[in-house]
Amino acid sequence: MRKFKINRRKKCFDFIKYYLIFVCVTNTSNLLLQAQNKEVTPLNIGDNIPDQIWDMPINVMNNPDGKNIITLREYKGKLILLDFWGTYCSSCIGGFPHLMDIQDKNKDKIAILAVSNEGKEKLQKFFATGLGKDRKIPTTFEERTLAKYFPHRTVPHTVWILPEGKYFNPSSSREITQSNIDAILRNEKSNIIVKLDTDPKKPLLLSDNFYANSNLNLGFYSLFFNGFYPGYPTGGNFKRDETGKLYGRQYTNKKLISIIKSVGMELFKEKGETFSDRRIILKSKNPLMLDSNENFAGPLPNDQYFSYELIIPTENSGSLYSYMLSDLNKYLDVTLNLQKISTDCLILIRTSDKDKLKTKSKISENKLLEDNNRYVISNEPIGLLLNILFLKLDSKLPIIDETGYKYNVDIDLKGIDNLDHLRDALKKYDLDIIKQERKLLMYIIEDK
């Protein structure tokens, strides 16, 4: 009987304990929901940060103290930098190592918090694999309220909050430098350029006064300039009318060679050709032509950023990229030209009529394994193999598919970065890669 009473008492205590935990979690969740759903008034530069922001519970991960929920009040008295970002933003991700370094050098003086509205699982996966592995910066998840207090159109977008609790200004993340931080902490004048968000749907730098006159109709419009422009993303967009017809293209804060390649890719696509770096013949000594790897690289020097836009009448939309090629040839000190010429190629061929390729799988997938040295395709077109060889094979020659194979394939290859190893691996599928000359459409870049 005594044992029975003890068990009943234990069950009662357990019930109370779990009930209190449930109530605590529920209340915390309700507070978070209330904070995110509450109507807010955006702050202006110079405003004091209100208590509702200081005390708002914020979901976080990668917190150095292991916390899952924080408030900004924990950082009051420090220079606070809210860096709005997204997993889709390559320049955001590229800037993380710099932010982590800045935080380490100013541990007791500043607090950097990356702010994301994306889901917890998505961000956990990002920080556990690939580019996110070495970029575990403290970040929010499912956080939408701060963006209402500090509205913006593009990311990265950095909000500076002074140690005394005032909204200093917004900027691009490239303004997060040690000299700017030191100047603010010493109450000296900084060189921070304020980020003024612009509408990417409108033509670059075209005055709003133009739209005030309803009698005007924009025909041809072209603009090209050098230097980083705060308020525009690193990227580009398409201009389409209400029927979906393409009449313009815009690139902002891009490397020059990236813009040139993008135009070339579209022209190749129009001609039914596959574009890659191997279809470029570079005869220019201009250093801006040498490298287009701007993704995940962090901020670039100011003179390596370019913006370009061309808008044409909709009746000429089918010739947009031809116009762009001609336009760039006017602006640049290089000549861009598409021409068919004889060139050495690597050609994928079949060595027998036996079909050792046809898929037996019902699931479609393709993946790189073992440090990007092994490639597995299941129930996918053979063209995917060429795509990965463009990226991984240690050769600068164009790769052409002359197998004529029309069905989906199963292929498992190891040694795809080395031509000799690749040829050995292809034998089990009665495939080979041979070097021969073909007349191909090439993209020629040469100095004027």
Side-chain angles (χ1 to χ4, degrees), residues 273-285:
E273 299 271 359
T274 301
F275 180 76
S276 75
D277 284 359
R278 297 163 190 250
R279 303 293 284 268
I280 296 174
I281 296 178
L282 184 62
K283 296 181 178 180
S284 171
K285 296 180 181 179

Side-chain angles (χ1 to χ4, degrees), residues 66-108:
K67 295 181 178 180
N68 297 320
I69 297 176
I70 62 164
T71 67
L72 291 184
R73 192 173 291 281
E74 298 173 32
Y75 307 126
K76 196 169 184 181
K78 296 181 178 182
L79 173 62
I80 300 173
L81 303 178
L82 303 179
D83 191 63
F84 291 85
W85 75 290
T87 55
Y88 53 85
C89 171
S90 60
S91 54
C92 301
I93 298 167
F96 277 1
H98 172 67
L99 297 187
M100 294 162 68
D101 184 54
I102 286 285
Q103 179 68 82
D104 286 342
K105 289 178 180 176
N106 301 271
K107 287 181 180 178
D108 301 324

Side-chain angles (χ1 to χ4, degrees), residues 286-334:
N286 187 332
L288 293 174
M289 300 296 111
L290 298 179
D291 177 33
S292 63
N293 185 22
E294 62 196 344
N295 290 341
F296 317 112
L300 301 169
N302 185 68
D303 62 358
Q304 290 191 29
Y305 287 100
F306 290 81
S307 296
Y308 170 56
E309 181 172 37
L310 177 65
I311 291 173
I312 62 175
T314 53
E315 58 265 27
N316 301 108
S317 63
S319 303
L320 173 64
Y321 292 104
S322 297
Y323 276 113
M324 293 188 86
L325 190 73
S326 175
D327 206 30
L328 287 171
N329 276 324
K330 295 174 185 175
Y331 284 130
L332 303 179
D333 59 0
V334 295

Side-chain angles (χ1 to χ4, degrees), residues 108-344:
D108 301 324
K109 301 175 183 176
I110 70 171
I112 298 177
L113 180 65
V115 181
S116 172
N117 62 11
E118 295 178 276
K120 183 178 182 180
E121 289 186 7
K122 184 175 183 178
L123 291 179
Q124 284 177 331
K125 184 177 180 180
F126 169 79
F127 286 114
T129 58
L131 287 163
K133 254 186 175 181
D134 301 320
R135 293 173 162 88
K136 291 191 176 178
I137 189 168
T139 186
T140 71
F141 60 90
E142 299 171 4
E143 173 45 55
R144 296 173 179 83
T145 306
L146 288 172
K148 294 178 182 178
Y149 282 110
F150 306 103
H152 53 278
R153 280 196 177 102
T154 61
V155 292
H157 179 86
T158 302
V159 167
W160 298 65
I161 299 176
L162 298 176
E164 58 266 32
K166 283 191 175 183
Y167 177 21
F168 181 59
N169 67 18
S171 78
S172 70
S173 58
R174 65 186 283 110
E175 301 301 321
I176 304 176
T177 64
Q178 191 61 53
S179 60
N180 282 336
I181 289 170
D182 289 341
I184 288 176
L185 293 176
R186 290 195 295 258
N187 290 319
E188 297 174 356
K189 185 178 180 181
S190 70
N191 294 316
I192 296 174
I193 299 174
V194 176
K195 177 174 177 269
L196 300 174
D197 274 340
T198 52
D199 187 350
K201 294 180 181 178
K202 292 183 178 180
L204 292 173
L205 305 185
L206 187 63
S207 170
D208 287 339
N209 292 333
F210 178 88
Y211 299 98
N213 191 328
S214 59
N215 296 323
L216 299 178
N217 183 32
L218 189 64
F220 284 93
Y221 175 86
S222 177
L223 180 69
F224 181 89
F225 63 88
N226 178 213
F228 184 84
Y229 190 89
Y232 284 117
T234 297
N237 63 64
F238 300 86
K239 308 289 185 182
R240 298 184 185 276
D241 65 11
E242 59 277 3
T243 67
K245 187 177 288 187
L246 182 69
Y247 66 89
R249 189 74 191 268
Q250 181 187 96
Y251 302 93
T252 51
N253 295 328
K254 297 278 289 178
K255 274 193 166 186
L256 180 57
I257 188 61
S258 296
I259 298 173
I260 290 171
K261 285 183 179 180
S262 176
V263 174
M265 181 180 68
E266 297 294 342
L267 289 169
F268 268 63
K269 195 185 298 181
E270 288 178 0
K271 298 177 184 296
E273 299 271 359
T274 301
F275 180 76
S276 75
D277 284 359
R278 297 163 190 250
R279 303 293 284 268
I280 296 174
I281 296 178
L282 184 62
K283 296 181 178 180
S284 171
K285 296 180 181 179
N286 187 332
L288 293 174
M289 300 296 111
L290 298 179
D291 177 33
S292 63
N293 185 22
E294 62 196 344
N295 290 341
F296 317 112
L300 301 169
N302 185 68
D303 62 358
Q304 290 191 29
Y305 287 100
F306 290 81
S307 296
Y308 170 56
E309 181 172 37
L310 177 65
I311 291 173
I312 62 175
T314 53
E315 58 265 27
N316 301 108
S317 63
S319 303
L320 173 64
Y321 292 104
S322 297
Y323 276 113
M324 293 188 86
L325 190 73
S326 175
D327 206 30
L328 287 171
N329 276 324
K330 295 174 185 175
Y331 284 130
L332 303 179
D333 59 0
V334 295
T335 299
L336 311 174
N337 183 32
L338 271 69
Q339 186 178 344
K340 276 203 169 186
I341 61 174
S342 293
T343 185
D344 287 332

Side-chain angles (χ1 to χ4, degrees), residues 23-39:
V23 170
C24 181
V25 171
T26 302
N27 286 341
T28 301
S29 299
N30 287 338
L31 284 171
L32 287 167
L33 287 171
Q34 289 171 16
Q36 295 197 351
N37 293 329
K38 187 177 180 180
E39 288 295 323

